[in-house]
Amino acid sequence: MTSKTKNLILFFYPISWPGKDFRSRVPFSVLYLARMVRDLPVEVKIVDEAITPDYAGVIEELSPRILVAGVSSMTGYQIGGGINFSKLLRKIDPGIPIIWGG
């Protein structure tokens, strides 16, 4: 596999509420989507902002392989985290499609 192979689906789960400890909750929305594509010839990576608040390095490292990125977001605080993620990804590689859902 070369570094130019686009074989990764990246799901991002923003923090739901500021100042709360969300490490004990499960990001079911992106886990469900990861389950739906498990038989495709792609790798799935989930970045949970509550677990990895400094995710910029992870995104930069994975960016050459990202086929598409998905952002899980509901109306409210998560939108800000999703926007920050999307801006970062656009800055790193403007050609990666970003799909939002909630």
Side-chain angles (χ1 to χ4, degrees), residues 13-17 19-28 31 48-53:
Y13 193 80
I15 291 175
S16 303
W17 195 257
K20 299 281 185 175
D21 184 0
F22 287 102
R23 290 175 290 180
S24 63
R25 59 94 182 100
V26 179
F28 286 112
L31 288 172
D48 184 336
E49 188 178 20
I51 305 300
T52 312

Side-chain angles (χ1 to χ4, degrees), residues 11-18 20 22-23 25 27 30 46-56 71-72 77-85:
F11 292 122
F12 181 72
Y13 193 80
I15 291 175
S16 303
W17 195 257
K20 299 281 185 175
F22 287 102
R23 290 175 290 180
R25 59 94 182 100
V30 292
I46 297 171
V47 174
D48 184 336
E49 188 178 20
I51 305 300
T52 312
D54 187 19
Y55 56 84
V71 177
S72 176
Y77 188 79
Q78 281 188 319
I79 290 176
I83 289 171
N84 292 338
F85 168 82

Side-chain angles (χ1 to χ4, degrees), residues 25-98:
R25 59 94 182 100
V26 179
F28 286 112
S29 58
V30 292
L31 288 172
Y32 176 76
L33 289 171
R35 162 66 174 87
M36 297 304 294
V37 298
R38 74 176 180 187
D39 294 331
L40 298 176
V42 295
E43 180 183 343
V44 174
K45 174 77 173 173
I46 297 171
V47 174
D48 184 336
E49 188 178 20
I51 305 300
T52 312
D54 187 19
Y55 56 84
V58 174
I59 305 307
E60 286 187 45
E61 180 183 327
L62 296 174
S63 65
R65 297 181 40 227
I66 299 173
L67 177 66
V68 64
V71 177
S72 176
S73 185
M74 299 297 283
T75 302
Y77 188 79
Q78 281 188 319
I79 290 176
I83 289 171
N84 292 338
F85 168 82
S86 298
K87 285 180 178 179
L88 174 66
L89 194 55
R90 278 287 169 261
K91 183 178 175 184
I92 293 170
D93 185 342
I96 296 173
I98 302 171

